[in-house]
Amino acid sequence: MWSREDGGGVAVLTYRNPPRNFLTFAALEELDAQLARVETDPDVRVVMLTGGVPGYFIAHADLDELAELSRGPVPRARIWYTAMRRIERIPQPVIAAIDGQAWGGGLELSLACTLRWASADAHVSLLETALGIIPGAGGTQRLARLIGPGRAADVVLSGDVFTAEQAWTCGIVERVLPAAGFRAEAVRLARHMASRPAAALGAAKQALVEGSRMPLTDGLRLEAALFAERLASPESRTLQDDARRRYAEAADGDRVAFGEHR
């Protein structure tokens, strides 16, 4: 169900489960296995998750499996927790490239990602209250941490569908890209990110993800420790030496750039 395509430091994992791209236990198990392989791949600096069925990122959880859960505990269902925690814990930033529908469990999967980029045709929802339940795969917790408890309450309690622009306005997604050529542009931006040193990307992700769940003082300590570790690394010292050389060679008032510009 998940295919992988690598290039430019980016692993693109594409989900295909036609006709509506429902997310199943089996699909999450497969995703978890794919991410376990990606985690230790030195050639992958950024991961992108996207949908391969037109009109869908991931529609939502499989309703037959929800019915199974309603009849009692299903040990296999723990994969919802395991896979999403792996997304958060692997060193590579993970981008959800949302083109089309991302409701319920589809949006919850994206909330575990480091970033969410949407096409102009995307629409998102935590619709669970319409089914007499609540989000059960981290939606209430991750969304409240992302956009604040008040806005999260509006999304969850209303169960409304939000357009890409509405989702960007309230902070659910970080970018809205044109629908035409969305995948290619998302991959281009991901490869730009992957041009940065892998260790720096991993440290930044760790500081952002872990630090956001800590008291501020503890988060600042984590950031300082990761900063000091990267600052002392041979890779960083080389890059700093190069930056000093560029400044020394530049005329006063010249702009000195680090890396590529978008």
Side-chain angles (χ1 to χ4, degrees), residues 93-107:
V94 181
I95 301 162
I98 304 169
D99 188 12
Q101 181 176 328
W103 296 1
L107 180 55

Side-chain angles (χ1 to χ4, degrees), residues 6 8-10 40-46:
D6 290 13
V10 178
T40 57
D41 189 332
D43 294 326
V44 176
R45 299 184 178 191
V46 174

Side-chain angles (χ1 to χ4, degrees), residues 7 27 52 62 81 98 101 117 119 134 146 161 166 182 190 199 209 216 222:
D62 186 282
Y81 172 84
I98 304 169
Q101 181 176 328
W117 296 347
S119 83
I134 68 169
L146 180 67
V161 176
Q166 290 170 329
F182 169 73
V209 175
L216 178 59
L222 173 64

Side-chain angles (χ1 to χ4, degrees), residues 1-7 10-16 21 47-54 56-57 95-100 117-121 176-191:
M1 285 181 278
W2 291 93
S3 61
R4 175 176 166 180
E5 182 181 354
D6 290 13
V10 178
V12 180
L13 303 182
T14 302
Y15 182 57
R16 294 181 180 88
N21 253 24
V47 178
M48 177 177 288
L49 306 183
T50 192
V53 175
Y56 295 95
F57 171 65
I95 301 162
I98 304 169
D99 188 12
W117 296 347
S119 83
D121 289 343
V176 177
L177 304 175
F182 169 73
R183 182 186 175 102
E185 179 63 4
V187 169
R188 186 190 72 80
L189 291 170
R191 288 180 177 176

Side-chain angles (χ1 to χ4, degrees), residues 28-247:
L28 285 163
E29 289 164 352
E30 187 178 325
L31 175 61
D32 190 56
Q34 288 266 22
L35 292 171
R37 289 189 288 271
V38 164
E39 182 175 5
T40 57
D41 189 332
D43 294 326
V44 176
R45 299 184 178 191
V46 174
V47 178
M48 177 177 288
L49 306 183
T50 192
V53 175
Y56 295 95
F57 171 65
I58 291 168
H60 47 68
D62 186 282
L63 296 180
D64 290 338
E65 292 186 349
L66 280 180
E68 183 182 354
L69 279 169
S70 73
R71 294 190 287 270
V74 179
R76 196 180 183 191
R78 184 168 173 78
I79 191 61
W80 278 90
Y81 172 84
T82 305
M84 291 190 191
R85 290 297 286 143
R86 190 182 295 277
I87 289 171
E88 293 176 320
R89 288 171 174 165
I90 65 173
Q92 297 94 338
V94 181
I95 301 162
I98 304 169
D99 188 12
Q101 181 176 328
W103 296 1
L107 180 55
E108 288 181 293
L109 182 72
S110 79
L111 292 173
C113 295
T114 322
L115 292 163
R116 286 144 298 281
W117 296 347
S119 83
D121 289 343
H123 45 100
V124 304
S125 176
L126 289 177
L127 75 164
E128 285 84 352
T129 54
L131 300 175
I133 57 175
I134 68 169
T140 61
Q141 302 307 299
R142 290 188 176 97
L143 188 62
R145 286 164 170 78
L146 180 67
I147 66 174
R151 285 185 169 180
D154 183 42
V155 174
V156 172
L157 297 176
S158 71
D160 287 343
V161 176
F162 292 78
T163 66
E165 284 296 331
Q166 290 170 329
W168 177 79
T169 298
C170 70
I172 297 174
V173 303
E174 288 74 40
R175 290 178 183 269
V176 177
L177 304 175
F182 169 73
R183 182 186 175 102
E185 179 63 4
V187 169
R188 186 190 72 80
L189 291 170
R191 288 180 177 176
H192 168 75
M193 185 183 298
S195 70
R196 306 313 190 202
L201 292 174
K205 176 182 175 179
Q206 183 181 353
L208 288 162
V209 175
E210 294 184 13
S212 69
R213 280 91 190 264
M214 295 177 175
L216 178 59
T217 299
D218 294 340
L220 292 171
R221 289 195 187 102
L222 173 64
E223 179 188 76
L226 292 168
F227 170 77
E229 179 182 309
R230 293 308 312 144
L231 189 66
S233 69
E235 180 179 45
S236 177
R237 287 176 177 172
T238 299
L239 291 170
Q240 292 171 58
D241 288 343
D242 181 63
R244 282 189 287 270
R245 177 187 58 78
R246 291 188 188 192
Y247 274 115

